[in-house]
Amino acid sequence: MSGKPVCIADFEEYAKTFLPKSVYDYYCSGADDQETLADNVAAFSRWKLYPRVLRDVSVMDLSTSVLGQRVTMPVCVAATAMQRMAHPHGETATARACQAVGTGMMLSSWATSSIEEVAEAAPGGLRWLQLYVYKDREVTESLVRRAERAGYRGIFVTVDTPYLGRRLADVRNKFQLPPHLRLNNFSSSDLGFSSGKDFGENSGLAVYVAEAIDATINWEDIKWLRGLTSLPIVLKGILRADDAKEAIKIGVNGILVSNHGARQLDGVPATIDVLPEIVEAVQGKVEVFLDGGVRKGTDVLKALALGAKAVFIGRPVLWGLAYQGEEGAKEVLQMLKEEFRLAMALTGCRRVEEIGRTLIRRHQVLFSKI
């Protein structure tokens, strides 16, 4: 990349040259053959926008609410683990960038900055905690209680990771955290992923998940969490209508349509293609969000037109951190905000509430019979 980044791809190009190979590979890779990884991005091109004209878009309002909290745009930051591999300030830099832009941040349980450190870094910011269910339920409960005390406004429970997906680059690299870092939400070296143990020929994180995360997780655990906290609960990793309906019965407050950035099971659909089915299934009873493949302002618009309340971005923020820490993350968020503003204007939408299903149609690819 030469000069200032002008699109999200420019930030990634810089990160690829700047970050150590094992770190870039960890952030960018998907599961197995990475078919879904490519499709998460490509799928947005299968949906075409049908703009309205002559709507006076001289004054616009991009703001919306997420779980009852106002944000300046329907673009929030998803949980991505171990951000201090991208920049020394990691998650605290991301939190400050989100606070400056006026949007929310989901903090990973596997952060290299603690729940409390992130809260202190951006005390006026909107934060949620991403949660894995550990075999030791006291560990899980402790994370929830700490989030409550630190002013987090919701819990996003990852439901698609009873085991870690097979990420070939991490296996080849025998991925481990750099020795100067640890998962700062945990006191023990084993849970902190900093024991220095030999993980053999596997990805160290895959071994960590097998040893620490509970593969027996089921709907009863979601009921347990619902009874544990009054904070809003969102299930992250739903791709089926029947699962979404079951979640509503239990009393969750939202669904995040997600395939874990294509890092768990390869061959699943792109999230934008699944979104309409989930939106129809929940019938407006809970908020629906989307992550996976969002790289442009038009992607944001398409997701909202298909019924998402907001989108969450992961990798683009990591590329921004690698580029220039807090300022780089802020640049990424501002870039998407301005791209989204332009997309709204060019489709005749003055407010987020005016974005609807009539703006979008799935493009039918015609094949020749010859």
Side-chain angles (χ1 to χ4, degrees):
M1 181 187 73
S2 59
K4 189 175 177 63
V6 298
C7 63
I8 298 302
D10 287 347
F11 286 99
E12 180 174 5
E13 183 182 339
Y14 174 85
K16 187 174 183 179
T17 62
F18 173 77
L19 293 173
K21 182 179 184 301
S22 64
V23 171
Y24 175 77
D25 286 352
Y26 170 75
Y27 286 149
C28 81
S29 62
D32 290 314
D33 294 332
Q34 303 188 134
E35 292 178 5
T36 300
L37 181 68
D39 201 39
N40 266 354
V41 176
F44 281 94
S45 296
R46 296 195 286 268
W47 293 90
K48 302 301 179 183
L49 293 169
Y50 286 73
R52 297 179 294 236
V53 297
L54 302 173
R55 297 291 172 136
D56 183 2
V57 290
S58 57
V59 178
M60 300 176 63
D61 179 8
L62 278 60
S63 68
T64 188
S65 65
V66 174
L67 300 174
Q69 305 297 314
R70 295 301 295 180
V71 289
T72 61
M73 60 175 173
V75 180
C76 304
V77 172
T80 52
M82 312 176 205
Q83 293 183 15
R84 285 187 172 174
M85 295 195 302
H87 186 273
H89 296 160
E91 294 87 357
T92 57
T94 300
R96 287 191 291 266
C98 289
Q99 179 175 269
V101 175
T103 193
M105 171 190 180
M106 189 196 313
L107 179 71
S108 172
S109 290
W110 297 344
T112 39
S113 308
S114 71
I115 290 168
E116 294 79 11
E117 287 172 327
V118 171
E120 291 167 6
L126 173 59
R127 301 173 303 278
W128 309 281
L129 177 69
Q130 175 274 330
L131 183 72
Y132 289 104
V133 175
Y134 278 75
K135 291 177 180 178
D136 185 343
R137 289 297 191 275
E138 290 184 4
V139 171
T140 307
E141 182 173 354
S142 173
L143 291 169
V144 173
R145 297 301 182 214
R146 288 167 60 192
E148 290 174 334
R149 289 193 297 268
Y152 286 65
R153 305 306 293 265
I155 305 293
F156 283 69
V157 186
T158 295
V159 296
D160 60 6
T161 311
Y163 298 98
L164 199 71
R166 189 166 180 263
R167 305 164 193 175
L168 302 185
D170 288 349
V171 175
R172 294 186 181 108
N173 294 332
K174 301 178 185 178
F175 174 76
Q176 295 191 48
L177 260 177
H180 66 287
L181 294 174
R182 67 189 319 278
L183 304 185
N184 265 7
N185 281 321
F186 307 99
S187 56
S188 75
S189 59
D190 283 339
L191 289 182
F193 195 35
S194 61
S195 64
K197 70 168 65 173
D198 183 1
F199 294 106
E201 298 300 312
N202 204 347
S203 158
L205 190 61
V207 176
Y208 175 91
V209 170
E211 292 178 349
I213 303 303
D214 197 346
T216 73
I217 184 172
N218 58 64
W219 291 107
E220 293 302 313
D221 296 298
I222 305 305
K223 292 177 183 176
W224 170 71
L225 285 168
R226 179 67 288 169
L228 189 66
T229 181
S230 61
L231 288 176
I233 291 178
V234 177
L235 297 194
K236 175 182 178 292
I238 298 290
L239 293 175
R240 293 172 56 104
D242 54 354
D243 281 343
K245 291 175 181 177
E246 187 66 28
I248 291 171
K249 291 179 187 176
I250 290 174
V252 305
N253 305 93
I255 300 292
L256 175 48
V257 179
S258 173
N259 53 35
H260 210 114
R263 292 161 71 79
Q264 281 299 99
L265 179 64
D266 200 20
V268 301
T271 51
I272 191 69
D273 287 340
V274 174
L275 178 62
E277 176 184 342
I278 305 300
V279 169
E280 181 179 0
V282 305
Q283 297 181 331
K285 295 174 182 175
V286 299
E287 295 181 359
V288 178
F289 313 107
L290 173 138
D291 70 19
V294 176
R295 299 294 183 270
K296 298 178 290 188
T298 50
D299 296 341
V300 181
L301 183 71
K302 289 175 181 181
L304 266 63
L306 290 173
K309 182 73 173 184
V311 303
F312 284 77
I313 60 168
R315 290 181 179 95
V317 172
L318 295 171
W319 311 145
L321 283 176
Y323 177 67
Q324 208 171 32
E326 177 186 341
E327 289 303 313
K330 195 187 306 182
E331 270 193 59
V332 164
L333 292 168
Q334 290 284 16
M335 180 179 289
L336 284 171
K337 184 176 186 179
E338 292 310 311
E339 288 181 3
F340 176 59
R341 184 192 305 276
L342 181 60
M344 281 183 60
L346 296 181
T347 51
C349 300
R350 293 158 293 194
R351 298 178 296 117
V352 168
E353 292 77 12
E354 294 178 357
I355 301 170
R357 194 64 172 79
T358 62
L359 288 178
I360 193 168
R361 302 176 201 168
R362 187 178 170 91
H363 180 60
Q364 300 297 323
V365 178
L366 301 178
F367 295 95
S368 172
K369 296 181 179 179
I370 299 176

